[in-house]
Amino acid sequence: MPITEISGHIILLTFIYALYMIPKSLGEYEGVKKEQPDPFIGKTKEKCKWTHGITFKSASIGFIILLPLLLFIEEIIRKYFGITIAAIIIILILIPITYYERKQSKINKIEVDKRNKKEEELKAKKKKLEENN
């Protein structure tokens, strides 16, 4: 296989990876949020917990704005410098995004755990007070 075919496959794989990573990193950037109640699936307000990660908003921004921008950057680089350099630069763009997502995901997970434990304790205290009355 010539280097251009290998580079083409690498670009394809990095774009598939970017389909997941860009919306996930945007969702982690938004921080910790409360789940929305959804009567269709039977999730009531009392059952909603704190969460983090991909949301509809982060996915739309990622798919509609950032992925086409990444594709546009790749096309320009490929036109002027070649497919191999384009593959390397796309990977170099995704490395800091991946690093940020992993770091922020750990921070958000700790915050989610704290908030969910605090809510469970409050629910338990409230239930105990209702039983005593």
Side-chain angles (χ1 to χ4, degrees), residues 10-27:
I10 289 172
I11 287 175
L12 178 65
L13 290 174
T14 55
F15 272 103
I16 291 171
Y17 179 69
L19 279 172
Y20 168 74
M21 190 51 59
I22 290 176
K24 179 99 163 80
S25 62
L26 285 173

